[in-house]
Amino acid sequence: SAVISQKPSRDICQRGTSLTIQCQVDSQVTMMFWYRQQPGQSLTLIATANQGSEATYESGFVIDKFPISRPNLTFSTLTVSNMSPEDSSIYLCSVPLAEDTQYFGPGTRLTVL
Amino acid sequence: GDSVTQMEGPVTLSEEAFLTINCTYTATGYPSLFWYVQYPGEGLQLLLKATKADDKGSNKGFEATYRKETTSFHLEKGSVQVSDSAVYFCAGGSTLGRLYFGRGTQLTVWP
């Protein structure tokens, strides 16, 4: 199976700042997904990152808050902008490596003070 | 929209006990169904999956059968071990590759 890495693994940030999270896959994939896991909660899909086009956002998530880049088939970034304590979560990228099967990166644990 | 409803925990069992974690789905079509596991301090891992009705997914002694008539995908294991302590997530998948997750069930197994 492919190796999926994320940077940073964790960070503590101040309110009002922004953090960019990187996701790297060791094989080329058409679609990449970004999820959020709030403390004690399940995973919620933020957006689908498509190479060569704008990301597709789920209801409740907007580009101004969570801008996404997808410059090539192995890499994507998610930025959490103008952070507040409510943004404290684990952010995960995932890629489909088999039909309807997602494999997840190790996650980025974000704490906003 | 499509969703899964998962038995909430926490679930606490003694080693070698039988485990069932219930999961039902609501979908307009026939989604693929998954169980993911998150061990303490680790990332999310695929445990097993089933892509069509009557399929049985199995891995590490865990099993789940895709039952269309009851729209269920219950996770079972005949004899749990301390090392099975983790959070288990039921999930459904759309044809676009997007997943929707249940709320997760915390399992603790005592020796």
Side-chain angles (χ1 to χ4, degrees), chain B residues 9-58:
Chain B
V11 175
T12 303
L13 296 172
S14 297
E15 205 164 28
E16 299 183 1
F18 184 85
L19 169 70
T20 299
I21 302 177
N22 291 338
C23 174
T24 57
Y25 68 89
T26 301
T28 53
Y30 298 102
S32 295
L33 298 172
F34 309 87
W35 280 99
Y36 282 85
V37 58
Q38 191 171 38
Y39 297 103
E42 298 186 16
L44 203 63
Q45 302 175 24
L46 177 66
L47 180 60
L48 54 84
K49 73 171 184 177
T51 58
K52 60 183 186 298
D54 299 326
D55 268 3
K56 177 187 285 188
S58 62

Side-chain angles (χ1 to χ4, degrees), chain A residues 8-14 17-21 36-39 65-66 78-81 83-91 107-113:
Chain A
S9 59
R10 59 178 62 227
D11 207 342
I12 300 173
C13 300
Q14 296 297 319
T17 62
S18 298
L19 176 72
T20 296
I21 301 167
R36 179 176 73 181
Q37 185 180 17
Q38 293 177 298
K65 176 66 176 178
F66 297 102
L78 169 76
T79 299
V80 186
S81 303
M83 288 184 285
S84 67
E86 292 69 35
D87 294 320
S88 298
S89 298
I90 299 173
Y91 292 85
T108 296
R109 184 179 295 272
L110 170 62
T111 301
V112 184
L113 303 177

Side-chain angles (χ1 to χ4, degrees), chain A residues 31 33 35 37 41-43 45 48 58 98-104 106, chain B residues 32 34 36 38 43-44 46 49 89 94-99 101-103:
Chain A
M31 300 171 79
F33 300 88
Y35 287 82
Q37 185 180 17
Q41 302 297 314
S42 186
L43 284 80
L45 181 62
T48 303
E58 298 298 306
E99 183 180 348
D100 286 341
T101 300
Q102 297 288 326
Y103 289 86
F104 286 81
Chain B
S32 295
F34 309 87
Y36 282 85
Q38 191 171 38
L44 203 63
L46 177 66
K49 73 171 184 177
F89 292 94
S94 74
T95 54
L96 295 176
R98 297 158 62 248
L99 292 181
F101 284 82
R103 294 176 62 88

Side-chain angles (χ1 to χ4, degrees), chain B residues 64-103:
Chain B
T65 300
Y66 190 144
R67 299 204 183 279
K68 187 175 65 173
E69 63 276 13
T70 55
T71 63
S72 65
F73 193 56
H74 304 322
L75 183 68
E76 297 182 335
K77 186 174 186 181
S79 177
V80 293
Q81 305 300 311
V82 172
S83 58
D84 294 326
S85 297
V87 181
Y88 293 82
F89 292 94
C90 182
S94 74
T95 54
L96 295 176
R98 297 158 62 248
L99 292 181
Y100 42 94
F101 284 82
R103 294 176 62 88

